[in-house]
Amino acid sequence: MSYPTQPTASHFINGQYVEDTDGAPIEVIYPATGEVIATVHSATPAIIDAALDAARSAQAAWGAMTGTERGRILRRAADMMRAANHDLSVLETYDTGKPYQETSVVDATSGADALEYFGGMAATLTGEHIPLGEDWVYTRREPLGVCVGIGAWNYPTQIACWKGAPALACGNAMVFKPSEMTPLCALKVAEILHAAGLPEGLYNVIQGLGDVGAALVSDARVDKVSLTGSVPTGRKVYAAAAAGIKHVTMELGGKSPLIIFDDADLENAVSGAILGNFYSSGQVCSNGTRVFVHKAIKHTFLKRLSERLATAVIGDPMDPQTSFGPMVSERQMSIVLDYIAKGQAEGARLVFGGARMDREGFYVQPTVFADVHDDMIIARQEIFGPVMAVLDFDDEADVLARANDTEFGLAAGVFTCDLTRAHRIAAGFQAGTCYINTYNDAPVEAPFGGSKASGVGRENSKAAIEHYSQIKSVYVRMGDLEAPF
Ligand code: NDP
């Protein structure tokens, strides 16, 4: 079978596709079949140089344009992205294995939302006037310069846009490195941005493994690094950026709690637990994988959850009826199967799934463990796969303390019909992104990001502007200036 997946070239630099076959080949594998569907080459030092030089030389003129002009290009790109949604979604499905049912409504569409939102905001980015009697200070909101974006493999298009859109709106240039497992869609984002009128050199995409990311992060031409990845990679990238005193945004992993009280609407709570554990086959950073269920409803919750999981349509990701697809890679599948084995060895009770599926591709069954204890490995480490751990509780203060007893702090959710309790719990959560009676919504209008080890900074919303721009204060004296001598 031939796929429309081989890109024109591996990299996109200075407004065009560029190849350098001296770079190590990276095979792109369709997770539903294990077939190689494209090959790209890792960036050589010459490619890294070309991308950073292009970004550096294009940035000043872009930063000097009006926000209205910059925003118009981003909004045009958003429209083009929406018009191309079907093709982009098919490509994203090949790249990640996520069902078309998901990619067609979440990936390019949320990328387009970011381009539209930050495109609309670009013209509003101003400083302020600070009166000081006769004198005054005014502030200018200025770009940082060259931003490097490094992406994970679960939402390649979305991550490329969530980083690119605010960076460009603020007048920066970007060099983006996708995960080597999903190199295809960021190239399309670059293509669309330039077709929409983005001047050459402002959004470059180069391929490679962690070593290419590391070379970018430590380069003196780079002013800011935004990473979406795991906590261990975050520690390395943050440290490398610190050596150059670069700005950082770290969107890292999590092991988020989801608390379900006995007064919750059961169907909604089950929906929240499904969305927070099995969407994208569980490969979502903010997933609520520690599901604390009140003892009084545990039995009914598990029964209803199992009934609904049995209706998941697992199969060909391109079939619009399919609602659950494979893991991104054989390696990720093995990691998840190892965790499932650990859960069983630790004595957790397997309620649903628990095995690789008997078919080609990297499919792991949606898996639910009950009677999980706080100190079990499956309750402490990020699995990044379709494995839900259900824990019991019967006391509010106790469950909140247990929910917060983790190094992570990305997200947290609560299901209850008690209004005051919902807000009390949300206030008590140590997490950057919280949900009441819902889970995993991530609209561009709302800040998204983690506290504790889950990250630094926020993506989306007005808050992202703070992370892609800096304030310059200009003191203006109106009268004579006195000096001591
Ligand atoms: P990794 O941390 O393995 O990799 C993230 C990116 O960093 C990849 O592009 C990787 O390249 C690159 N990289 C690896 N080492 C270095 C280095 N030393 N210097 C610079 N770059 C480097 O994460 P995954 O791709 O496995 O993604 C899964 C993780 O991402 C999970 O922990 C998940 O929670 C987190 N995540 C967080 C999100 C959030 O918004 N908070 C959203 C999505 C995922 P390569 O892959 O080529 O090695």
Side-chain angles (χ1 to χ4, degrees):
M1 192 185 286
S2 74
Y3 295 109
T5 42
Q6 178 62 43
T8 310
S10 300
H11 318 288
F12 195 98
I13 298 172
N14 217 12
Q16 50 194 323
Y17 277 101
V18 178
E19 191 53 274
D20 181 349
T21 51
D22 284 350
I26 299 170
E27 290 185 334
V28 187
I29 289 166
Y30 181 36
T33 61
E35 288 170 272
V36 176
I37 53 164
T39 303
V40 296
H41 291 270
S42 184
T44 56
I47 287 288
I48 297 173
D49 262 350
L52 289 172
D53 282 346
R56 192 84 263 163
S57 25
Q59 189 271 322
W62 175 248
M65 279 166 67
T66 68
T68 305
E69 290 168 320
R70 289 198 298 268
R72 192 177 300 133
I73 293 169
L74 298 187
R75 286 185 289 106
R76 200 180 296 135
D79 292 343
M80 292 170 70
M81 199 165 238
R82 288 211 178 88
N85 185 45
H86 170 74
D87 289 350
L88 292 170
S89 304
V90 168
L91 191 64
E92 186 86 322
T93 290
Y94 278 128
D95 219 4
T96 60
K98 295 192 294 179
Y100 178 82
Q101 192 187 89
E102 291 187 16
T103 55
S104 57
V105 295
V106 166
D107 294 88
T109 52
S110 81
D113 283 354
L115 291 165
E116 184 173 2
Y117 179 84
F118 289 106
M121 194 183 278
T124 72
L125 304 177
T126 58
E128 62 176 332
H129 170 262
I130 303 164
L132 295 165
E134 195 183 43
D135 297 349
W136 78 89
V137 166
Y138 67 92
T139 62
R140 293 166 50 87
R141 184 170 287 281
E142 298 188 341
L144 300 174
V146 173
C147 302
V148 159
I150 300 178
W153 38 258
N154 55 347
Y155 285 87
T157 309
Q158 184 186 83
I159 294 170
C161 293
W162 280 18
K163 298 188 189 309
L168 292 171
C170 291
N172 303 285
M174 172 152 276
V175 177
F176 186 79
K177 189 202 84 68
S179 164
E180 99 275 5
M181 265 182 286
T182 53
L184 303 179
C185 286
L187 292 168
K188 290 291 172 194
V189 172
E191 220 181 279
I192 288 170
L193 279 165
H194 287 83
L198 187 72
E200 294 169 354
L202 289 164
Y203 190 91
N204 309 280
V205 175
I206 65 172
Q207 309 296 347
L209 278 72
D211 59 328
V212 172
L216 289 171
V217 173
S218 54
D219 195 284
R221 287 165 285 191
V222 172
D223 302 289
K224 193 238 154 82
V225 179
S226 176
L227 169 79
T228 296
S230 61
V231 173
T233 302
R235 287 189 212 285
K236 282 190 234 165
V237 171
Y238 201 172
I245 320 284
K246 298 181 199 304
H247 298 255
V248 293
T249 300
M250 295 280 140
E251 291 293 349
L252 308 176
K255 187 76 191 176
S256 301
L258 173 57
I259 303 177
I260 299 173
F261 282 92
D262 49 349
D263 66 348
D265 179 297
L266 189 73
E267 281 310 306
N268 286 339
V270 171
S271 295
I274 289 173
L275 288 170
N277 281 272
F278 301 116
Y279 207 70
S280 300
S281 297
Q283 302 164 116
V284 180
C285 52
S286 48
N287 270 356
T289 47
R290 288 184 294 140
V291 182
F292 294 91
V293 179
H294 194 283
K295 277 181 184 158
I297 57 162
K298 173 181 159 179
H299 179 71
T300 354
F301 173 85
L302 289 172
K303 180 168 172 291
R304 193 61 195 122
L305 177 66
S306 300
E307 285 166 3
R308 288 188 45 189
L309 287 178
T311 69
V313 181
I314 306 176
D316 174 7
M318 290 299 170
D319 181 342
Q321 298 307 314
T322 297
S323 56
F324 186 89
M327 311 301 307
V328 74
S329 65
E330 190 162 16
R331 180 169 171 269
Q332 191 62 21
M333 178 181 69
S334 309
I335 291 172
V336 173
L337 292 172
D338 273 0
Y339 273 113
I340 291 173
K342 280 180 189 139
Q344 285 173 301
E346 284 178 311
R349 176 164 61 94
L350 189 60
V351 173
F352 197 91
R356 180 178 184 178
M357 297 193 61
D358 183 18
R359 53 169 298 146
E360 62 176 359
F362 314 132
Y363 288 80
V364 177
Q365 293 170 328
T367 297
V368 178
F369 281 108
D371 305 338
V372 176
H373 297 293
D374 296 1
D375 55 357
M376 288 181 181
I377 290 168
I378 57 165
R380 301 218 68 80
Q381 296 181 9
E382 184 184 43
I383 298 175
F384 222 57
V387 183
M388 182 194 294
V390 177
L391 305 96
D392 305 349
F393 80 94
D394 56 11
D395 177 74
E396 179 184 319
D398 179 55
V399 75
L400 183 60
R402 291 167 62 202
N404 287 333
D405 181 19
T406 165
E407 64 162 329
F408 301 110
L410 187 53
V414 56
F415 277 79
T416 175
C417 286
D418 179 336
L419 196 63
T420 52
R421 174 160 63 194
H423 294 291
R424 193 164 60 233
I425 293 279
F429 276 142
Q430 295 169 358
T433 309
C434 297
Y435 300 100
I436 295 175
N437 292 335
T438 184
Y439 206 84
N440 262 351
D441 312 67
V444 68
E445 296 87 348
F448 181 85
S451 54
K452 302 202 294 193
S454 291
V456 175
R458 293 292 178 268
E459 295 200 298
N460 289 341
S461 79
K462 292 178 205 147
I465 298 300
E466 298 302 327
H467 303 290
Y468 284 100
S469 61
Q470 57 194 337
I471 298 288
K472 177 186 281 175
S473 289
V474 181
Y475 192 111
V476 182
R477 183 172 294 279
M478 296 298 287
D480 291 334
L481 186 59
E482 285 180 20
F485 49 84

